[in-house]
Amino acid sequence: MRTRRSVRRLASAPVALLLAAGLALTGCSAGDDASAGSNSAADRGADHKGVSGEAAPGGTASGAKATAPPKLTAGHIIRTASLTVQVKDVPKALDQARTGVENAGGYVGNETTTRDAEGHERTRVVLRVPVEKYDDVLAELEGSGKLLDRSAKAEDVTDQVVDVESRITTQRASVARIRELMDRAGKLSDVVTLEGELSTRQADLEALLARQESLKDRTSLATITLSLSETPVKKEAKDDDPGFVDALAGGWSAFVTMLRWLAVAFGAVLPFAAVAALIVLLWVRVVRPRLPRRPAPAPATTALGPLPTARPAPEATRPRTPDDQA
């Protein structure tokens, strides 16, 4: 039994050593690639200097370098532009812009059309055109109407492209090493550990590939945001001096406005007046007749009997006239 266990330990030891060595190598691969990239750049610079020095015979290499401009290599540049153009007919101008972009090998992206209260149409469209046709399409769009606003931007992403490509190369080599270690692994625990590491590195590789594809799309196709608006219709000039008809129309408008406000006020007060009238009617017709009436006050009495009521005073004596006798 002891012999079998010792044999198993000796068999699993190389696998563990291979796993540790593979992880160490993958960790150092990025630094090696970076140093290799810097060395290759230095080598390219030295080669370039050597070629430029040999181009001018007779010791005139320095003068040639001073006068001849250096050759620029094509980089990776993201170009974007925004245009606002005023046209007479928005649908027609949009069709022309779409046709020009498609003829240049591009396509139309997002498109938004709106119409204001006065009926003027406005369209905003995103155009994607190849970089080599960017200047021609931009000039054609600017000449389609009256240019109101223009902005352009160029962003150099060459460093990002080179960095992503280097990382992709390193990540692919790392994935290949992990797969080789999985083929050599004999223990189940080692296989599980390597599978987790492989899935992580595979996800990183896919993310780098997606970024590379995005940079490729943005550098190969320029983006132009075009805004088209219709020309406002010019209104005829009117005489500003008011006349009798204008005064009459203004007075009638004021009178109608006053009647309208009176009607609004009457409509607002009418519900309260109706409720008040109903309450008064109920009081007079229903509630008041049912209320108990107060009795008449009794005459004052004494021990000898009721007091005599006051009689009206006799009229003042005056001489009788023949009319009174008759």
Side-chain angles (χ1 to χ4, degrees), residues 186-223:
K187 294 176 62 177
L188 181 60
S189 58
D190 295 340
V191 174
V192 172
T193 303
L194 291 172
E195 284 182 351
E197 190 68 23
L198 179 62
S199 61
T200 302
R201 301 193 181 192
Q202 190 70 30
D204 296 340
L205 178 60
E206 292 177 357
L208 290 173
L209 291 174
R211 185 179 178 187
Q212 184 187 36
E213 190 65 24
S214 176
L215 288 173
K216 182 180 179 181
D217 177 72
R218 295 166 63 190
T219 54
S220 60
L221 293 176
T223 303

PDB file of all heavy atoms in Angstrom, residues 186-223:
ATOM      1  N   GLY A 186      -3.436  14.964 -14.384  1.00  0.00           N
ATOM      2  CA  GLY A 186      -3.968  13.648 -14.067  1.00  0.00           C
ATOM      3  C   GLY A 186      -4.933  13.649 -12.907  1.00  0.00           C
ATOM      4  O   GLY A 186      -5.765  12.741 -12.789  1.00  0.00           O
ATOM      5  N   LYS A 187      -4.890  14.632 -12.048  1.00  0.00           N
ATOM      6  CA  LYS A 187      -5.776  14.709 -10.896  1.00  0.00           C
ATOM      7  C   LYS A 187      -7.000  15.548 -11.242  1.00  0.00           C
ATOM      8  O   LYS A 187      -6.930  16.514 -12.009  1.00  0.00           O
ATOM      9  CB  LYS A 187      -5.045  15.315  -9.702  1.00  0.00           C
ATOM     10  CG  LYS A 187      -3.903  14.449  -9.181  1.00  0.00           C
ATOM     11  CD  LYS A 187      -3.164  15.146  -8.060  1.00  0.00           C
ATOM     12  CE  LYS A 187      -4.101  15.403  -6.883  1.00  0.00           C
ATOM     13  NZ  LYS A 187      -3.385  16.015  -5.751  1.00  0.00           N
ATOM     14  N   LEU A 188      -8.119  15.183 -10.641  1.00  0.00           N
ATOM     15  CA  LEU A 188      -9.370  15.895 -10.891  1.00  0.00           C
ATOM     16  C   LEU A 188      -9.313  17.326 -10.353  1.00  0.00           C
ATOM     17  O   LEU A 188      -9.848  18.265 -10.978  1.00  0.00           O
ATOM     18  CB  LEU A 188     -10.537  15.127 -10.254  1.00  0.00           C
ATOM     19  CG  LEU A 188     -11.934  15.744 -10.442  1.00  0.00           C
ATOM     20  CD1 LEU A 188     -12.258  15.839 -11.928  1.00  0.00           C
ATOM     21  CD2 LEU A 188     -12.978  14.920  -9.701  1.00  0.00           C
ATOM     22  N   SER A 189      -8.678  17.538  -9.219  1.00  0.00           N
ATOM     23  CA  SER A 189      -8.582  18.891  -8.641  1.00  0.00           C
ATOM     24  C   SER A 189      -7.782  19.807  -9.560  1.00  0.00           C
ATOM     25  O   SER A 189      -8.127  20.986  -9.738  1.00  0.00           O
ATOM     26  CB  SER A 189      -7.931  18.820  -7.265  1.00  0.00           C
ATOM     27  OG  SER A 189      -6.630  18.223  -7.351  1.00  0.00           O
ATOM     28  N   ASP A 190      -6.704  19.262 -10.174  1.00  0.00           N
ATOM     29  CA  ASP A 190      -5.922  20.074 -11.102  1.00  0.00           C
ATOM     30  C   ASP A 190      -6.735  20.432 -12.338  1.00  0.00           C
ATOM     31  O   ASP A 190      -6.663  21.555 -12.853  1.00  0.00           O
ATOM     32  CB  ASP A 190      -4.663  19.321 -11.515  1.00  0.00           C
ATOM     33  CG  ASP A 190      -3.728  19.093 -10.338  1.00  0.00           C
ATOM     34  OD1 ASP A 190      -3.861  19.833  -9.338  1.00  0.00           O
ATOM     35  OD2 ASP A 190      -2.885  18.174 -10.413  1.00  0.00           O
ATOM     36  N   VAL A 191      -7.532  19.502 -12.810  1.00  0.00           N
ATOM     37  CA  VAL A 191      -8.362  19.768 -13.989  1.00  0.00           C
ATOM     38  C   VAL A 191      -9.382  20.860 -13.685  1.00  0.00           C
ATOM     39  O   VAL A 191      -9.619  21.775 -14.496  1.00  0.00           O
ATOM     40  CB  VAL A 191      -9.054  18.478 -14.454  1.00  0.00           C
ATOM     41  CG1 VAL A 191     -10.038  18.784 -15.590  1.00  0.00           C
ATOM     42  CG2 VAL A 191      -8.015  17.461 -14.929  1.00  0.00           C
ATOM     43  N   VAL A 192     -10.013  20.793 -12.502  1.00  0.00           N
ATOM     44  CA  VAL A 192     -11.005  21.811 -12.133  1.00  0.00           C
ATOM     45  C   VAL A 192     -10.356  23.182 -12.025  1.00  0.00           C
ATOM     46  O   VAL A 192     -10.894  24.205 -12.497  1.00  0.00           O
ATOM     47  CB  VAL A 192     -11.692  21.410 -10.812  1.00  0.00           C
ATOM     48  CG1 VAL A 192     -12.572  22.546 -10.320  1.00  0.00           C
ATOM     49  CG2 VAL A 192     -12.502  20.139 -10.998  1.00  0.00           C
ATOM     50  N   THR A 193      -9.178  23.246 -11.406  1.00  0.00           N
ATOM     51  CA  THR A 193      -8.473  24.535 -11.281  1.00  0.00           C
ATOM     52  C   THR A 193      -8.109  25.094 -12.645  1.00  0.00           C
ATOM     53  O   THR A 193      -8.285  26.292 -12.925  1.00  0.00           O
ATOM     54  CB  THR A 193      -7.215  24.350 -10.435  1.00  0.00           C
ATOM     55  OG1 THR A 193      -7.576  23.808  -9.159  1.00  0.00           O
ATOM     56  CG2 THR A 193      -6.499  25.672 -10.242  1.00  0.00           C
ATOM     57  N   LEU A 194      -7.619  24.255 -13.525  1.00  0.00           N
ATOM     58  CA  LEU A 194      -7.239  24.709 -14.860  1.00  0.00           C
ATOM     59  C   LEU A 194      -8.449  25.128 -15.692  1.00  0.00           C
ATOM     60  O   LEU A 194      -8.364  26.069 -16.491  1.00  0.00           O
ATOM     61  CB  LEU A 194      -6.462  23.606 -15.573  1.00  0.00           C
ATOM     62  CG  LEU A 194      -5.064  23.300 -15.015  1.00  0.00           C
ATOM     63  CD1 LEU A 194      -4.481  22.064 -15.688  1.00  0.00           C
ATOM     64  CD2 LEU A 194      -4.142  24.496 -15.213  1.00  0.00           C
ATOM     65  N   GLU A 195      -9.574  24.450 -15.515  1.00  0.00           N
ATOM     66  CA  GLU A 195     -10.783  24.842 -16.241  1.00  0.00           C
ATOM     67  C   GLU A 195     -11.251  26.227 -15.816  1.00  0.00           C
ATOM     68  O   GLU A 195     -11.678  27.050 -16.650  1.00  0.00           O
ATOM     69  CB  GLU A 195     -11.883  23.810 -16.017  1.00  0.00           C
ATOM     70  CG  GLU A 195     -11.698  22.532 -16.810  1.00  0.00           C
ATOM     71  CD  GLU A 195     -12.840  21.562 -16.590  1.00  0.00           C
ATOM     72  OE1 GLU A 195     -13.674  21.831 -15.696  1.00  0.00           O
ATOM     73  OE2 GLU A 195     -12.895  20.544 -17.304  1.00  0.00           O
ATOM     74  N   GLY A 196     -11.207  26.519 -14.488  1.00  0.00           N
ATOM     75  CA  GLY A 196     -11.577  27.861 -14.040  1.00  0.00           C
ATOM     76  C   GLY A 196     -10.653  28.931 -14.587  1.00  0.00           C
ATOM     77  O   GLY A 196     -11.093  30.008 -15.019  1.00  0.00           O
ATOM     78  N   GLU A 197      -9.370  28.644 -14.596  1.00  0.00           N
ATOM     79  CA  GLU A 197      -8.410  29.594 -15.148  1.00  0.00           C
ATOM     80  C   GLU A 197      -8.601  29.769 -16.647  1.00  0.00           C
ATOM     81  O   GLU A 197      -8.490  30.884 -17.185  1.00  0.00           O
ATOM     82  CB  GLU A 197      -6.992  29.092 -14.852  1.00  0.00           C
ATOM     83  CG  GLU A 197      -5.895  30.098 -15.165  1.00  0.00           C
ATOM     84  CD  GLU A 197      -5.920  31.289 -14.234  1.00  0.00           C
ATOM     85  OE1 GLU A 197      -6.465  31.164 -13.116  1.00  0.00           O
ATOM     86  OE2 GLU A 197      -5.387  32.352 -14.634  1.00  0.00           O
ATOM     87  N   LEU A 198      -8.929  28.680 -17.334  1.00  0.00           N
ATOM     88  CA  LEU A 198      -9.148  28.767 -18.781  1.00  0.00           C
ATOM     89  C   LEU A 198     -10.375  29.610 -19.116  1.00  0.00           C
ATOM     90  O   LEU A 198     -10.350  30.419 -20.046  1.00  0.00           O
ATOM     91  CB  LEU A 198      -9.292  27.358 -19.358  1.00  0.00           C
ATOM     92  CG  LEU A 198      -9.562  27.274 -20.868  1.00  0.00           C
ATOM     93  CD1 LEU A 198      -8.400  27.865 -21.645  1.00  0.00           C
ATOM     94  CD2 LEU A 198      -9.826  25.825 -21.292  1.00  0.00           C
ATOM     95  N   SER A 199     -11.465  29.420 -18.368  1.00  0.00           N
ATOM     96  CA  SER A 199     -12.675  30.205 -18.630  1.00  0.00           C
ATOM     97  C   SER A 199     -12.439  31.692 -18.393  1.00  0.00           C
ATOM     98  O   SER A 199     -12.918  32.552 -19.153  1.00  0.00           O
ATOM     99  CB  SER A 199     -13.818  29.707 -17.742  1.00  0.00           C
ATOM    100  OG  SER A 199     -13.488  29.870 -16.368  1.00  0.00           O
ATOM    101  N   THR A 200     -11.665  32.029 -17.344  1.00  0.00           N
ATOM    102  CA  THR A 200     -11.369  33.432 -17.069  1.00  0.00           C
ATOM    103  C   THR A 200     -10.555  34.060 -18.195  1.00  0.00           C
ATOM    104  O   THR A 200     -10.868  35.165 -18.677  1.00  0.00           O
ATOM    105  CB  THR A 200     -10.615  33.561 -15.739  1.00  0.00           C
ATOM    106  OG1 THR A 200     -11.407  32.992 -14.697  1.00  0.00           O
ATOM    107  CG2 THR A 200     -10.315  35.011 -15.421  1.00  0.00           C
ATOM    108  N   ARG A 201      -9.521  33.369 -18.633  1.00  0.00           N
ATOM    109  CA  ARG A 201      -8.680  33.915 -19.680  1.00  0.00           C
ATOM    110  C   ARG A 201      -9.381  33.934 -21.034  1.00  0.00           C
ATOM    111  O   ARG A 201      -9.139  34.809 -21.868  1.00  0.00           O
ATOM    112  CB  ARG A 201      -7.378  33.118 -19.763  1.00  0.00           C
ATOM    113  CG  ARG A 201      -6.616  33.141 -18.450  1.00  0.00           C
ATOM    114  CD  ARG A 201      -5.217  32.648 -18.554  1.00  0.00           C
ATOM    115  NE  ARG A 201      -4.567  32.685 -17.249  1.00  0.00           N
ATOM    116  CZ  ARG A 201      -3.268  32.531 -17.047  1.00  0.00           C
ATOM    117  NH1 ARG A 201      -2.475  32.310 -18.099  1.00  0.00           N
ATOM    118  NH2 ARG A 201      -2.749  32.579 -15.838  1.00  0.00           N
ATOM    119  N   GLN A 202     -10.262  32.976 -21.255  1.00  0.00           N
ATOM    120  CA  GLN A 202     -11.036  32.979 -22.492  1.00  0.00           C
ATOM    121  C   GLN A 202     -11.993  34.177 -22.528  1.00  0.00           C
ATOM    122  O   GLN A 202     -12.178  34.801 -23.583  1.00  0.00           O
ATOM    123  CB  GLN A 202     -11.836  31.674 -22.605  1.00  0.00           C
ATOM    124  CG  GLN A 202     -12.493  31.465 -23.960  1.00  0.00           C
ATOM    125  CD  GLN A 202     -11.482  31.173 -25.052  1.00  0.00           C
ATOM    126  OE1 GLN A 202     -10.428  30.599 -24.797  1.00  0.00           O
ATOM    127  NE2 GLN A 202     -11.797  31.583 -26.274  1.00  0.00           N
ATOM    128  N   ALA A 203     -12.591  34.519 -21.377  1.00  0.00           N
ATOM    129  CA  ALA A 203     -13.472  35.691 -21.319  1.00  0.00           C
ATOM    130  C   ALA A 203     -12.681  36.978 -21.572  1.00  0.00           C
ATOM    131  O   ALA A 203     -13.151  37.880 -22.274  1.00  0.00           O
ATOM    132  CB  ALA A 203     -14.167  35.747 -19.958  1.00  0.00           C
ATOM    133  N   ASP A 204     -11.485  37.073 -20.996  1.00  0.00           N
ATOM    134  CA  ASP A 204     -10.646  38.247 -21.256  1.00  0.00           C
ATOM    135  C   ASP A 204     -10.279  38.348 -22.729  1.00  0.00           C
ATOM    136  O   ASP A 204     -10.259  39.456 -23.310  1.00  0.00           O
ATOM    137  CB  ASP A 204      -9.382  38.183 -20.406  1.00  0.00           C
ATOM    138  CG  ASP A 204      -9.670  38.260 -18.913  1.00  0.00           C
ATOM    139  OD1 ASP A 204     -10.773  38.741 -18.556  1.00  0.00           O
ATOM    140  OD2 ASP A 204      -8.812  37.829 -18.104  1.00  0.00           O
ATOM    141  N   LEU A 205      -9.998  37.209 -23.350  1.00  0.00           N
ATOM    142  CA  LEU A 205      -9.663  37.215 -24.776  1.00  0.00           C
ATOM    143  C   LEU A 205     -10.846  37.680 -25.625  1.00  0.00           C
ATOM    144  O   LEU A 205     -10.680  38.465 -26.569  1.00  0.00           O
ATOM    145  CB  LEU A 205      -9.216  35.818 -25.198  1.00  0.00           C
ATOM    146  CG  LEU A 205      -8.876  35.631 -26.691  1.00  0.00           C
ATOM    147  CD1 LEU A 205      -7.745  36.564 -27.111  1.00  0.00           C
ATOM    148  CD2 LEU A 205      -8.520  34.170 -26.978  1.00  0.00           C
ATOM    149  N   GLU A 206     -12.052  37.220 -25.300  1.00  0.00           N
ATOM    150  CA  GLU A 206     -13.236  37.648 -26.050  1.00  0.00           C
ATOM    151  C   GLU A 206     -13.493  39.150 -25.880  1.00  0.00           C
ATOM    152  O   GLU A 206     -13.904  39.830 -26.827  1.00  0.00           O
ATOM    153  CB  GLU A 206     -14.444  36.838 -25.593  1.00  0.00           C
ATOM    154  CG  GLU A 206     -14.371  35.359 -25.978  1.00  0.00           C
ATOM    155  CD  GLU A 206     -15.546  34.567 -25.451  1.00  0.00           C
ATOM    156  OE1 GLU A 206     -16.383  35.173 -24.746  1.00  0.00           O
ATOM    157  OE2 GLU A 206     -15.625  33.356 -25.725  1.00  0.00           O
ATOM    158  N   ALA A 207     -13.251  39.675 -24.688  1.00  0.00           N
ATOM    159  CA  ALA A 207     -13.423  41.112 -24.473  1.00  0.00           C
ATOM    160  C   ALA A 207     -12.426  41.913 -25.307  1.00  0.00           C
ATOM    161  O   ALA A 207     -12.771  42.948 -25.904  1.00  0.00           O
ATOM    162  CB  ALA A 207     -13.273  41.444 -22.991  1.00  0.00           C
ATOM    163  N   LEU A 208     -11.205  41.449 -25.376  1.00  0.00           N
ATOM    164  CA  LEU A 208     -10.204  42.123 -26.197  1.00  0.00           C
ATOM    165  C   LEU A 208     -10.554  42.053 -27.680  1.00  0.00           C
ATOM    166  O   LEU A 208     -10.372  43.033 -28.429  1.00  0.00           O
ATOM    167  CB  LEU A 208      -8.826  41.496 -25.951  1.00  0.00           C
ATOM    168  CG  LEU A 208      -8.191  41.769 -24.583  1.00  0.00           C
ATOM    169  CD1 LEU A 208      -6.926  40.949 -24.426  1.00  0.00           C
ATOM    170  CD2 LEU A 208      -7.886  43.252 -24.413  1.00  0.00           C
ATOM    171  N   LEU A 209     -11.084  40.927 -28.128  1.00  0.00           N
ATOM    172  CA  LEU A 209     -11.493  40.805 -29.527  1.00  0.00           C
ATOM    173  C   LEU A 209     -12.646  41.738 -29.853  1.00  0.00           C
ATOM    174  O   LEU A 209     -12.696  42.336 -30.946  1.00  0.00           O
ATOM    175  CB  LEU A 209     -11.870  39.352 -29.827  1.00  0.00           C
ATOM    176  CG  LEU A 209     -10.721  38.335 -29.826  1.00  0.00           C
ATOM    177  CD1 LEU A 209     -11.256  36.913 -29.991  1.00  0.00           C
ATOM    178  CD2 LEU A 209      -9.705  38.660 -30.916  1.00  0.00           C
ATOM    179  N   ALA A 210     -13.590  41.878 -28.916  1.00  0.00           N
ATOM    180  CA  ALA A 210     -14.710  42.797 -29.138  1.00  0.00           C
ATOM    181  C   ALA A 210     -14.224  44.246 -29.210  1.00  0.00           C
ATOM    182  O   ALA A 210     -14.688  45.037 -30.041  1.00  0.00           O
ATOM    183  CB  ALA A 210     -15.740  42.639 -28.022  1.00  0.00           C
ATOM    184  N   ARG A 211     -13.277  44.606 -28.357  1.00  0.00           N
ATOM    185  CA  ARG A 211     -12.722  45.961 -28.407  1.00  0.00           C
ATOM    186  C   ARG A 211     -11.974  46.194 -29.702  1.00  0.00           C
ATOM    187  O   ARG A 211     -12.043  47.285 -30.297  1.00  0.00           O
ATOM    188  CB  ARG A 211     -11.797  46.169 -27.219  1.00  0.00           C
ATOM    189  CG  ARG A 211     -11.260  47.589 -27.102  1.00  0.00           C
ATOM    190  CD  ARG A 211     -10.374  47.739 -25.889  1.00  0.00           C
ATOM    191  NE  ARG A 211      -9.831  49.090 -25.810  1.00  0.00           N
ATOM    192  CZ  ARG A 211      -8.924  49.487 -24.930  1.00  0.00           C
ATOM    193  NH1 ARG A 211      -8.470  48.609 -24.028  1.00  0.00           N
ATOM    194  NH2 ARG A 211      -8.459  50.718 -24.940  1.00  0.00           N
ATOM    195  N   GLN A 212     -11.242  45.186 -30.162  1.00  0.00           N
ATOM    196  CA  GLN A 212     -10.537  45.314 -31.427  1.00  0.00           C
ATOM    197  C   GLN A 212     -11.504  45.518 -32.591  1.00  0.00           C
ATOM    198  O   GLN A 212     -11.274  46.344 -33.482  1.00  0.00           O
ATOM    199  CB  GLN A 212      -9.678  44.080 -31.668  1.00  0.00           C
ATOM    200  CG  GLN A 212      -8.821  44.149 -32.927  1.00  0.00           C
ATOM    201  CD  GLN A 212      -8.110  42.839 -33.203  1.00  0.00           C
ATOM    202  OE1 GLN A 212      -8.678  41.760 -32.951  1.00  0.00           O
ATOM    203  NE2 GLN A 212      -6.888  42.898 -33.707  1.00  0.00           N
ATOM    204  N   GLU A 213     -12.614  44.788 -32.575  1.00  0.00           N
ATOM    205  CA  GLU A 213     -13.618  44.940 -33.638  1.00  0.00           C
ATOM    206  C   GLU A 213     -14.262  46.324 -33.600  1.00  0.00           C
ATOM    207  O   GLU A 213     -14.531  46.927 -34.652  1.00  0.00           O
ATOM    208  CB  GLU A 213     -14.687  43.847 -33.482  1.00  0.00           C
ATOM    209  CG  GLU A 213     -15.647  43.752 -34.643  1.00  0.00           C
ATOM    210  CD  GLU A 213     -14.980  43.315 -35.930  1.00  0.00           C
ATOM    211  OE1 GLU A 213     -13.919  42.665 -35.850  1.00  0.00           O
ATOM    212  OE2 GLU A 213     -15.522  43.612 -37.009  1.00  0.00           O
ATOM    213  N   SER A 214     -14.507  46.838 -32.393  1.00  0.00           N
ATOM    214  CA  SER A 214     -15.077  48.179 -32.273  1.00  0.00           C
ATOM    215  C   SER A 214     -14.129  49.245 -32.807  1.00  0.00           C
ATOM    216  O   SER A 214     -14.537  50.161 -33.528  1.00  0.00           O
ATOM    217  CB  SER A 214     -15.429  48.461 -30.811  1.00  0.00           C
ATOM    218  OG  SER A 214     -15.893  49.781 -30.642  1.00  0.00           O
ATOM    219  N   LEU A 215     -12.848  49.133 -32.455  1.00  0.00           N
ATOM    220  CA  LEU A 215     -11.869  50.094 -32.967  1.00  0.00           C
ATOM    221  C   LEU A 215     -11.750  49.998 -34.485  1.00  0.00           C
ATOM    222  O   LEU A 215     -11.615  51.024 -35.174  1.00  0.00           O
ATOM    223  CB  LEU A 215     -10.514  49.844 -32.316  1.00  0.00           C
ATOM    224  CG  LEU A 215     -10.382  50.238 -30.832  1.00  0.00           C
ATOM    225  CD1 LEU A 215      -9.053  49.767 -30.276  1.00  0.00           C
ATOM    226  CD2 LEU A 215     -10.536  51.740 -30.659  1.00  0.00           C
ATOM    227  N   LYS A 216     -11.828  48.804 -35.006  1.00  0.00           N
ATOM    228  CA  LYS A 216     -11.744  48.636 -36.453  1.00  0.00           C
ATOM    229  C   LYS A 216     -12.929  49.287 -37.160  1.00  0.00           C
ATOM    230  O   LYS A 216     -12.771  49.933 -38.198  1.00  0.00           O
ATOM    231  CB  LYS A 216     -11.682  47.144 -36.791  1.00  0.00           C
ATOM    232  CG  LYS A 216     -11.553  46.855 -38.273  1.00  0.00           C
ATOM    233  CD  LYS A 216     -11.490  45.345 -38.535  1.00  0.00           C
ATOM    234  CE  LYS A 216     -11.386  45.051 -40.015  1.00  0.00           C
ATOM    235  NZ  LYS A 216     -11.359  43.589 -40.285  1.00  0.00           N
ATOM    236  N   ASP A 217     -14.118  49.128 -36.581  1.00  0.00           N
ATOM    237  CA  ASP A 217     -15.307  49.730 -37.190  1.00  0.00           C
ATOM    238  C   ASP A 217     -15.250  51.254 -37.129  1.00  0.00           C
ATOM    239  O   ASP A 217     -15.595  51.942 -38.099  1.00  0.00           O
ATOM    240  CB  ASP A 217     -16.555  49.214 -36.471  1.00  0.00           C
ATOM    241  CG  ASP A 217     -17.825  49.853 -36.997  1.00  0.00           C
ATOM    242  OD1 ASP A 217     -18.235  49.528 -38.124  1.00  0.00           O
ATOM    243  OD2 ASP A 217     -18.401  50.707 -36.284  1.00  0.00           O
ATOM    244  N   ARG A 218     -14.805  51.789 -36.013  1.00  0.00           N
ATOM    245  CA  ARG A 218     -14.775  53.243 -35.849  1.00  0.00           C
ATOM    246  C   ARG A 218     -13.677  53.906 -36.661  1.00  0.00           C
ATOM    247  O   ARG A 218     -13.801  55.082 -37.027  1.00  0.00           O
ATOM    248  CB  ARG A 218     -14.609  53.582 -34.369  1.00  0.00           C
ATOM    249  CG  ARG A 218     -15.790  53.157 -33.526  1.00  0.00           C
ATOM    250  CD  ARG A 218     -15.460  53.205 -32.053  1.00  0.00           C
ATOM    251  NE  ARG A 218     -15.142  54.555 -31.608  1.00  0.00           N
ATOM    252  CZ  ARG A 218     -14.640  54.855 -30.415  1.00  0.00           C
ATOM    253  NH1 ARG A 218     -14.379  53.876 -29.558  1.00  0.00           N
ATOM    254  NH2 ARG A 218     -14.393  56.108 -30.088  1.00  0.00           N
ATOM    255  N   THR A 219     -12.607  53.188 -36.920  1.00  0.00           N
ATOM    256  CA  THR A 219     -11.522  53.766 -37.715  1.00  0.00           C
ATOM    257  C   THR A 219     -11.712  53.570 -39.210  1.00  0.00           C
ATOM    258  O   THR A 219     -11.186  54.345 -40.010  1.00  0.00           O
ATOM    259  CB  THR A 219     -10.175  53.151 -37.290  1.00  0.00           C
ATOM    260  OG1 THR A 219     -10.262  51.719 -37.362  1.00  0.00           O
ATOM    261  CG2 THR A 219      -9.820  53.565 -35.873  1.00  0.00           C
ATOM    262  N   SER A 220     -12.429  52.550 -39.612  1.00  0.00           N
ATOM    263  CA  SER A 220     -12.645  52.313 -41.035  1.00  0.00           C
ATOM    264  C   SER A 220     -13.839  53.096 -41.583  1.00  0.00           C
ATOM    265  O   SER A 220     -13.877  53.416 -42.771  1.00  0.00           O
ATOM    266  CB  SER A 220     -12.870  50.816 -41.290  1.00  0.00           C
ATOM    267  OG  SER A 220     -14.011  50.348 -40.575  1.00  0.00           O
ATOM    268  N   LEU A 221     -14.817  53.428 -40.725  1.00  0.00           N
ATOM    269  CA  LEU A 221     -15.999  54.180 -41.141  1.00  0.00           C
ATOM    270  C   LEU A 221     -16.099  55.462 -40.317  1.00  0.00           C
ATOM    271  O   LEU A 221     -16.095  55.424 -39.082  1.00  0.00           O
ATOM    272  CB  LEU A 221     -17.272  53.349 -40.953  1.00  0.00           C
ATOM    273  CG  LEU A 221     -17.421  52.112 -41.842  1.00  0.00           C
ATOM    274  CD1 LEU A 221     -18.687  51.354 -41.464  1.00  0.00           C
ATOM    275  CD2 LEU A 221     -17.459  52.497 -43.313  1.00  0.00           C
ATOM    276  N   ALA A 222     -16.190  56.607 -41.002  1.00  0.00           N
ATOM    277  CA  ALA A 222     -16.369  57.890 -40.330  1.00  0.00           C
ATOM    278  C   ALA A 222     -17.856  58.108 -40.037  1.00  0.00           C
ATOM    279  O   ALA A 222     -18.734  57.601 -40.746  1.00  0.00           O
ATOM    280  CB  ALA A 222     -15.831  59.022 -41.193  1.00  0.00           C
ATOM    281  N   THR A 223     -18.134  58.880 -39.001  1.00  0.00           N
ATOM    282  CA  THR A 223     -19.506  59.147 -38.567  1.00  0.00           C
ATOM    283  C   THR A 223     -19.837  60.613 -38.826  1.00  0.00           C
ATOM    284  O   THR A 223     -19.130  61.509 -38.355  1.00  0.00           O
ATOM    285  CB  THR A 223     -19.678  58.829 -37.072  1.00  0.00           C
ATOM    286  OG1 THR A 223     -19.314  57.464 -36.838  1.00  0.00           O
ATOM    287  CG2 THR A 223     -21.118  59.041 -36.642  1.00  0.00           C
TER     288      THR A 223
END
